[in-house]
Amino acid sequence: LFAIFAFATCGGYSGELRLSVDCANKSESDFSIDIAFAYPFRLHQVNFEAPTCEGKRRETLALIGDFSSSAEFFVTIAVFAFLYSLAATVVYIFFQNKYRENNRGPLIDFIVTVVFSFLWLVSSSAWAKGLSDVKVATDPDEVLLLISACKQQSNKCLPVRSPVMSSLNTSVVFGYLNFILWAGNIWFVFKETGWHSSGQRHPADTMEKQPSGYNQDSYGPAGGYNQAGSYGQVGEYGQSQSYGQSGPTSFANQI
């Protein structure tokens, strides 16, 4: 859904600006010069005509700049992210067993998620810079500088309408939201991989081995105390005192 909003707000954009050139000779003036442009923002191919204020002759001009690379890169990443999300959703729902088989599905999903997170960050940053340049190139005050008649003080050139860039601003916002969404999803995909499961099994195995080792050191094969666990070999008066088998025998001899 976020990918759809990203490429729809950018790829479906079309804007228009309007200029007014008031010549000293009113009959040569043009108060409505409309300049339309759209995605992929190859502005150097956008031509328009303006009066020269020298008779009826008009000149053909073009906007400056080609910002198609960053715009097309952004839209391409958005489209592929949408297609992959759609395919992954189908796999999650209908092919869960195949997805978890041999742990191959989660690993591929994890790698693709990391790659898309990086591409979203790069494409959104590139398009944000491209959008900034598009705004400058389509600024009516900047476009008026291209018209030769506007360089003469006797003529009056004014911007009538500026292009609306709200949808393009929204596309940049959705680009960074997609980056946050995909980057945050890395953890959840990682939990599905064998790496996360094996990391949790090792501490459990260690805890299971500790009781068995303790029993071997402290208890004999029959479950009683070993002879090595007798209390002291030398008593308080220097005599040998051990609570082994010799204790009861010596007591019987004294009797």
Side-chain angles (χ1 to χ4, degrees):
L1 185 64
F2 275 64
I4 291 175
F5 283 125
F7 71 73
T9 52
C10 179
Y13 177 82
S14 62
E16 185 181 62
L17 61 108
R18 179 174 295 178
L19 307 175
S20 172
V21 178
D22 186 7
C23 300
N25 185 358
K26 300 299 183 180
S27 60
E28 301 172 357
S29 302
D30 190 344
F31 299 102
S32 181
I33 302 175
D34 294 325
I35 306 173
F37 62 97
Y39 173 86
F41 308 104
R42 294 188 177 93
L43 301 182
H44 66 288
Q45 298 179 356
V46 178
N47 300 321
F48 64 97
E49 292 186 351
T52 59
C53 295
E54 297 177 356
K56 296 295 183 179
R57 188 172 64 88
R58 298 174 68 88
E59 61 179 352
T60 301
L61 302 171
L63 298 179
I64 298 176
D66 182 6
F67 311 101
S68 59
S69 58
S70 60
E72 289 177 338
F73 179 48
F74 178 80
V75 172
T76 300
I77 297 302
V79 171
F80 277 105
F82 162 72
L83 295 176
Y84 179 78
S85 300
L86 186 63
T89 303
V90 174
V91 172
Y92 293 159
I93 297 175
F94 299 104
F95 302 97
Q96 186 65 231
N97 294 332
K98 291 288 185 180
Y99 174 78
R100 297 182 180 276
E101 185 177 356
N102 298 327
N103 202 35
R104 184 177 302 176
L107 291 179
I108 296 176
D109 198 11
F110 174 74
I111 295 173
V112 173
T113 303
V114 172
V115 171
F116 265 113
S117 300
F118 175 74
L119 291 177
W120 271 117
L121 177 61
V122 174
S123 62
S124 299
S125 300
W127 172 229
K129 177 61 170 62
L131 176 58
S132 177
D133 296 336
V134 169
K135 291 180 179 180
V136 174
T138 57
D139 186 359
D141 293 327
E142 296 292 331
V143 179
L144 287 174
L145 299 177
L146 303 175
I147 302 175
S148 59
C150 298
K151 299 177 182 179
Q152 302 176 9
Q153 296 182 354
S154 58
N155 304 320
K156 295 181 181 179
C157 299
L158 298 173
V160 178
R161 184 173 61 194
S162 299
V164 180
M165 299 286 188
S166 57
S167 63
L168 295 182
N169 295 332
T170 304
S171 68
V172 174
V173 173
F174 273 108
Y176 284 109
L177 286 177
N178 273 283
F179 163 69
I180 296 174
L181 181 66
W182 283 78
N185 197 43
I186 291 176
W187 166 247
F188 297 99
V189 181
F190 176 75
K191 290 173 64 177
E192 300 293 331
T193 63
W195 300 331
H196 181 266
S197 300
S198 62
Q200 286 186 336
R201 279 200 298 266
H202 290 310
D205 294 342
T206 305
M207 294 299 294
E208 290 175 359
K209 291 179 180 179
Q210 286 180 356
S212 59
Y214 177 80
N215 290 334
Q216 292 176 0
D217 295 338
S218 302
Y219 298 93
Y225 289 96
N226 290 332
Q227 294 179 359
S230 59
Y231 298 96
Q233 298 298 326
V234 181
E236 182 179 0
Y237 299 100
Q239 297 178 354
S240 176
Q241 297 179 0
S242 63
Y243 294 92
Q245 295 178 356
S246 59
T249 303
S250 60
F251 180 75
N253 292 335
Q254 292 177 2
I255 294 176

